[in-house]
Amino acid sequence: MLASEFFKKYEGYCPKELAMADDPVGLQLGTLDKEIKTVMVALDIREQTVQEAIDKQVDVILAKHPVIFRPLDNLTDQDTQQKIILDLARAGIAIYTSHTNIDIVSGGLNDYFCEMLEMTEIEELTNFGLGRVGNIQPQTLAVFADNLKARFELTGLSIVSYDQSLSKVIKRVAICGGSGGKFYPDALAKEADVYVTGDIYYHTAHDMLSSGLTAIDPGHHIEVLFIKKVAQVLRAFNTDVTIIESDALTNPFIHQ
């Protein structure tokens, strides 16, 4: 099957036009004007992802995080990030990125998070479609945090709260995959009891608490669920293209 035909199907589910301004989505490297047999879904493209794709004879990697996020001034083996791009090009592996558009699209990654947390009456968190907010069965912050860890298979998380007992009752949850700390005013405006997002800065956490908002930082890497979700979508196309899920470990953090 032509890669261009395959990704036309994907864009019918997740249009590139949904992405935020200046967000690099779609084809980033190589060509879609070729016959493909194997597509690998990955969160990040690091050295280990490249080797995995080469070993598994992958034709295209569909990744959430762009391998090229900012314009390049040069392209050499002397820079580790640039070498990743060169190694992919030498291997003839195309890269297609689905970044904020998969966060925004209905039935995308943030909606998948909501399903996992059994949220109801869901609405968009921001006015441009990033994040979600909805209701859950009332439970303490301690119970909610434990449920979050279990359902997202986390070894640890950070809770933004001055209350060591974690006794606050949670009924309404806002969630935004990736680095969504700057959207906490939206969570307040939507009357969330807790905001779940990654990469919360120390001073932002103080600002959240001063504003009356509790938060949980489960880490940016919860977006690894992109792999499972998107692989399910691609397999539902019922094409002759084999869909594989990257199992390369790209989480840079170890919680002990």
Side-chain angles (χ1 to χ4, degrees):
M1 184 176 193
L2 275 175
S4 56
E5 295 174 358
F6 183 85
F7 282 95
K8 184 176 181 180
K9 290 179 178 290
Y10 182 74
E11 290 169 11
Y13 157 71
C14 186
K16 291 185 292 185
E17 293 75 20
L18 288 178
M20 295 183 68
D22 300 322
D23 185 32
V25 297
L27 181 67
Q28 284 211 297
L29 182 68
T31 179
L32 296 182
D33 187 22
K34 66 177 182 178
E35 292 286 335
I36 58 172
K37 295 181 179 179
T38 306
V39 172
M40 183 171 79
V41 186
L43 174 63
D44 307 298
I45 298 180
R46 308 307 308 157
E47 299 86 350
Q48 57 270 38
T49 323
V50 176
Q51 191 59 54
E52 178 186 24
I54 292 171
D55 291 344
K56 295 178 178 177
Q57 299 182 310
V58 167
D59 298 301
V60 185
I61 300 174
L62 197 172
K64 185 175 196 298
H65 293 143
V67 69
I68 303 173
F69 197 75
R70 296 177 181 84
L72 298 172
D73 294 324
N74 47 33
L75 191 57
T76 75
D77 278 335
Q78 306 307 306
D79 179 276
T80 54
Q81 182 64 24
Q82 292 173 15
K83 186 176 185 303
I84 287 173
I85 298 166
L86 282 172
D87 287 345
L88 288 164
R90 289 166 181 152
I93 299 171
I95 303 299
Y96 184 101
T97 299
S98 186
H99 195 210
T100 52
N101 51 335
I102 192 64
D103 296 319
I104 291 171
V105 70
S106 177
L109 190 57
N110 279 308
D111 284 324
Y112 188 43
F113 292 157
C114 293
E115 289 177 27
M116 296 180 69
L117 295 175
E118 298 180 352
M119 292 165 57
T120 61
E121 300 175 72
I122 298 163
E123 58 183 294
E124 293 176 349
L125 175 63
T126 66
N127 60 11
F128 42 84
L130 275 179
R132 299 290 186 267
V133 61
N135 301 326
I136 60 169
Q137 290 295 317
Q139 55 199 267
T140 66
L141 180 59
V143 170
F144 178 75
D146 285 342
N147 288 337
L148 184 65
K149 283 178 63 177
R151 295 176 186 182
F152 285 66
E153 298 181 3
L154 303 172
T155 56
L157 46 73
S158 297
I159 300 175
V160 178
S161 174
Y162 292 133
D163 177 13
Q164 297 294 314
S165 70
L166 307 181
S167 59
K168 178 180 178 178
V169 175
I170 303 300
K171 300 178 182 178
R172 188 161 172 81
V173 177
I175 187 165
C176 183
S179 301
K182 64 183 177 182
F183 303 127
Y184 83 86
D186 297 281
L188 279 165
K190 294 293 178 69
E191 300 182 329
D193 299 312
V194 64
Y195 181 31
V196 180
T197 194
D199 303 337
I200 297 176
Y201 294 113
Y202 181 85
H203 296 297
T204 301
H206 280 154
D207 292 340
M208 289 175 170
L209 293 176
S210 294
S211 300
L213 180 65
T214 300
I216 296 179
D217 185 342
H220 198 124
H221 195 254
I222 63 166
E223 290 192 320
V224 73
L225 289 166
F226 168 88
I227 297 174
K228 180 179 179 181
K229 173 62 181 177
V230 171
Q232 290 174 348
V233 170
L234 301 183
R235 291 182 182 123
F237 294 159
N238 292 319
T239 67
D240 58 359
V241 176
T242 299
I243 309 302
I244 63 176
E245 301 177 28
S246 174
D247 55 18
L249 178 61
T250 61
N251 188 354
F253 301 107
I254 296 174
H255 295 102
Q256 288 188 317

